[in-house]
């Protein structure tokens, strides 16, 4: 009778039951995102610096603490076997989960070692772990930095500003490619909307194609 009841439950709710627990080898994407087997995982309850995010040390020198944090996580759990429990799915389609390696809660380990912060918006599970790391000045807490959520918001605001022409009459985007080619994009062209202007890297806005050509920019092909 018990076997029949279990079969009925599995038949009615197979996806929910299968989704609860999963495991596999770890591939580290960044400080709070992993591939566990074939599943992309956003660790629940923690928030790590973004790749490329800058921190400032005691001497006032800025450095890429986001990449550093990811490298530290990779050293600790990269290639090891993890067991995870699903909590949710985020807007990017990633599985939000808590994971353990060798029986140790990965989220707690990273917050305790100052490689990530407690993400109190979603969980208070690691609140005290972060406070202890702050007091001890461990990892990130030995430096000055923006909380990752604040950093992401600033980046979004900057991008919104940089993709909108400061003068509606000067809306041609003068972009510089990675190979150093100077290409200008007209409103309506294929890559116009996603092209970001970075004045600090020599990119600029133009009021006419003639102005862009005179400055050394060629028109985008599409």
């Amino acid at each position: 009778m018990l076997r029949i009841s279990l079969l009925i439950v599995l038949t009615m709710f197979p996806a929910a039951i299968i989704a609860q627990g999963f495991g596999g080898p770890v591939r580290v994407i960044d400080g709070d995102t992993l591939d566990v087997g074939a599943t992309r995982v956003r660790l629940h309850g923690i928030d790590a610096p973004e790749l490329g995010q800058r921190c400032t040390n005691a001497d006032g020198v800025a450095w890429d603490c986001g990449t550093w944090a990811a490298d530290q996580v990779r050293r600790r759990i990269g290639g090891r076997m993890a067991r995870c429990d699903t909590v949710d799915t985020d807007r990017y389609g990633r599985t939000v989960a808590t994971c353990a390696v060798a029986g140790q809660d990965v989220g707690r380990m990273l917050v305790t070692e100052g490689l990530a912060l407690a993400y109190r918006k979603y969980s208070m599970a690691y609140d005290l772990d972060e406070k202890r790391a702050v007091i001890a000045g461990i990892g990130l807490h030995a430096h000055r930095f923006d909380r990752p959520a604040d950093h992401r918001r600033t980046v979004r605001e900057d991008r919104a500003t940089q993709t909108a022409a400061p003068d509606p009459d000067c809306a041609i985007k003068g972009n510089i490619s990675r190979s150093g080619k100077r290409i200008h994009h007209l409103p309506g062209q294929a890559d116009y909307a996603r092209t970001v202007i970075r004045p600090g890297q020599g990119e600029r806005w133009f009021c006419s194609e003639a102005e862009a050509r005179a400055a050394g920019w060629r028109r985008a092909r599409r």
Side-chain angles (χ1 to χ4, degrees):
M1 185 67 180
L2 179 60
R3 183 177 298 177
I4 294 174
S5 299
L6 180 59
L7 180 60
I8 292 172
V9 172
L10 288 171
T11 302
M12 293 176 64
F13 307 104
I17 292 175
I18 292 171
Q20 290 306 306
F22 60 95
V26 172
R27 185 170 74 92
V28 175
I29 306 303
D30 60 27
D32 52 34
T33 307
L34 318 170
D35 281 346
V36 178
T39 304
R40 178 62 55 90
V41 173
R42 174 63 163 86
L43 290 169
H44 178 62
I46 74 168
D47 203 14
E50 300 295 319
L51 297 177
Q53 182 175 337
R54 314 286 283 178
C55 295
T56 305
N57 67 19
D59 296 322
V61 177
W63 58 290
D64 184 349
C65 56
T67 299
W68 171 83
D71 288 342
Q72 293 299 313
V73 177
R74 194 169 289 114
R75 290 179 185 178
R76 286 160 174 76
I77 63 172
R80 300 181 68 182
M81 297 297 295
R83 184 68 187 170
C84 303
D85 291 307
T86 301
V87 176
D88 200 354
T89 300
D90 71 9
R91 59 178 175 168
Y92 303 107
R94 298 176 298 185
T95 297
V96 180
T98 57
C99 295
V101 170
Q104 184 176 11
D105 182 328
V106 174
R108 175 155 285 115
M109 176 183 71
L110 300 184
V111 174
T112 297
E113 296 185 17
L115 303 178
L117 310 181
Y119 207 173
R120 296 179 180 89
K121 178 180 178 180
Y122 297 103
S123 173
M124 294 297 290
Y126 308 120
D127 174 61
L128 293 179
D129 300 290
E130 181 189 315
K131 288 175 179 175
R132 284 189 285 267
V134 171
I135 292 171
I138 294 172
L140 294 166
H141 304 294
H143 309 274
R144 296 194 302 276
F145 62 95
D146 291 331
R147 297 190 74 86
D150 294 336
H151 169 76
R152 291 191 294 271
R153 182 171 58 253
T154 298
V155 169
R156 286 194 300 270
E157 291 171 352
D158 287 347
R159 284 178 177 171
T161 300
Q162 292 169 338
T163 54
D167 182 343
D169 294 326
C170 299
I172 298 173
K173 295 180 177 181
N175 176 247
I176 301 175
S177 71
R178 290 184 179 180
S179 60
K181 295 179 180 178
R182 295 171 180 256
I183 302 170
H184 69 266
H185 301 262
L186 302 176
Q189 286 193 291
D191 296 324
Y192 182 86
R194 65 189 183 91
T195 297
V196 175
I197 297 304
R198 298 160 297 183
Q201 297 185 29
E203 297 175 338
R204 53 179 291 193
W205 297 89
F206 293 104
C207 301
S208 69
E209 279 201 89
E211 180 188 4
R213 286 195 299 269
W217 267 261
R218 70 163 176 81
R219 184 175 180 173
R221 293 192 173 91
R222 59 190 185 91

